[in-house]
Amino acid sequence: MTTVAPALQQRSATDLFAHLLRHENRADPYPAYEELLRQPVVQMDDRTWLATGHREIGLLLRDPRISADRLNPQQQPIRKSLLMEDPPRHDQLRHVVTQQFIPRIMGMRDHIDALVTALLDAHTSERPGQLDVVGDLAYPLPVTVICELLGVPREDEPLFGALARRLTRGLDPVSTQSEQEIHELQQARTELAEYLEGLIARHDADDRDDLLAGLLHGRSPDGPMDPIDLRVTLGLLLIAGHETTVNLIANGTLALLRHPDALARLRTDPDLATPLVEEVLRYDPPVQMSGRSTLADIDIAGTTIPKGARIRLLLASGNRDPRRFPDPDRFLPDRADNAHLGFGGGIHYCIGATLARAEAQIALTALARRLDSPRLVSDPPPYRENAILRGPERLPVAFDRLLPDPRGV
Ligand code: HEM
């Protein structure tokens, strides 16, 4: 383990949690997580609970006495997405979405590969020797893929991209406290609802074969989806599809550039991409925490979380739990037995995991193969505001030249 900064030792869970939410600590929240791991389940001064241990988070994610509804009463939307729903409604919605989503992502690897090649070629010819891995690759790749899959026009990105950022700020515990911020969140929700309703109305007339058309026209044994559920599900997939994978690719690039041995290995061994992306999901996860509430008293780790309590599951600290992972602070690209919590667990396990993995494996392999002598322009890079969906705002990388793809594609 790294040595915890003396300033963090002996601090209360409340102080440590506040520390890791502050933007100035975004580049390295891990010393605070390490200190929090001393108590795998602990209550904070505001009466919410933190689960930090790998085992405890895993147990809570799979406990039927836990609800996925984590919002304050004043934040509740008209209709919840499956992310916040419990069985049986959760399972029904998830089934319908999976039926449409999974077959569409099968066989997408070649297409993702072609998109990555095109993005790298385009940007390096504009600015030879310099790439912003976030703006030039990690963001446009998942946005393009999710737009194509769902049937959302790519050119609308300036509109829904800004809305997605405003909405995901609402996930952030620091930004959901004031009346003003709650109002701002409602406003963003309304704007997204209006945008998606317009899109659905126009789509109805079209004869298309994307996920939106599939859900709308009920081209599955489950029949058409209820219009409000359709809009809410579409919003969830659109946001999940581009506010998370961007961080996986950017955090992975950062890890590679800080670990030149791993970068050199990936350059010549494409099979390393699979375990390496799992290690990025453990070591520096794009989704740092999730939330739940309790439907009953729950005895865990020598304490009792009472019924009606709200819990924050710190996935990122569970991923660094020394009780589960030997040498947890080391980035080991072929770590064995890597049961990380990067995609959550239990019934809400990420639906987009296969897609996100494929995008990150292909993007990181292409960067390793094609950038000659890449180096970070600033370390650490500037970070985005969001503490939950955490990743660099920009990731400028300098390199000597863009190499041709060794596979000759
Ligand atoms: C690196 C990229 C991604 C990461 C790290 C990630 C992470 C997660 C995590 C941690 C959860 C569980 C949340 C919880 O239990 O509260 C989740 C759920 C979910 N993710 Fe992802 N995700 C990623 C990409 C995607 C993509 C590309 C999509 C789809 C387009 C997607 C769709 C979903 C959906 C629909 C759920 C809710 C599942 C349910 O409630 O049953 N995710 N994701």
Side-chain angles (χ1 to χ4, degrees), residues 61 70 82-84 90 94 97 101 146 236-238 240-242 244-245 248 281 285-287 290-292 315 341-345 347-353 355-356 359:
L61 282 170
R70 66 208 68 169
L82 70 136
L83 180 67
M84 308 263 173
H90 165 269
R94 185 170 169 121
V97 173
F101 191 73
I146 198 69
L236 171 68
L237 292 172
L238 187 59
H242 78 282
T244 50
T245 312
L248 180 58
L281 283 155
V287 178
S290 184
R292 294 290 189 270
L315 307 172
L341 299 165
F343 288 124
I347 62 168
H348 292 277
Y349 185 83
C350 178
I351 289 181
L355 177 63
E359 290 177 17

Side-chain angles (χ1 to χ4, degrees), residues 151-156 159-160 194-208 210 212-213 216-217:
V152 170
R154 175 67 173 83
E155 59 276 15
D156 289 351
L159 178 77
F160 62 73
E194 284 168 2
Y195 168 71
L196 293 174
E197 270 159 19
L199 194 68
I200 294 167
R202 290 198 302 280
H203 224 76
D204 208 7
D206 293 343
D207 181 21
R208 303 166 67 131
D210 44 45
L212 173 49
L216 189 64
H217 302 300

Side-chain angles (χ1 to χ4, degrees), residues 280-303:
V280 179
L281 283 155
R282 183 196 70 83
Y283 178 79
D284 205 11
V287 178
Q288 295 261 304
M289 60 186 88
S290 184
R292 294 290 189 270
S293 54
T294 47
L295 301 170
D297 288 1
I298 294 183
D299 295 329
I300 186 163
T303 183

Side-chain angles (χ1 to χ4, degrees), residues 25-47:
N25 301 317
R26 197 70 77 246
D28 188 12
Y30 296 102
Y33 285 128
E34 181 182 349
E35 203 52 26
L36 278 164
L37 272 163
R38 289 177 192 280
Q39 283 174 290
V41 175
V42 62
Q43 190 178 24
M44 294 198 289
D45 293 350
D46 67 358
R47 310 190 69 77

Side-chain angles (χ1 to χ4, degrees), residues 83-103:
L83 180 67
M84 308 263 173
E85 276 287 1
D86 297 325
R89 228 179 100 69
H90 165 269
D91 304 3
Q92 289 154 3
L93 287 168
R94 185 170 169 121
H95 175 74
V96 175
V97 173
T98 318
Q99 293 262 312
Q100 289 290 334
F101 191 73
I102 301 301

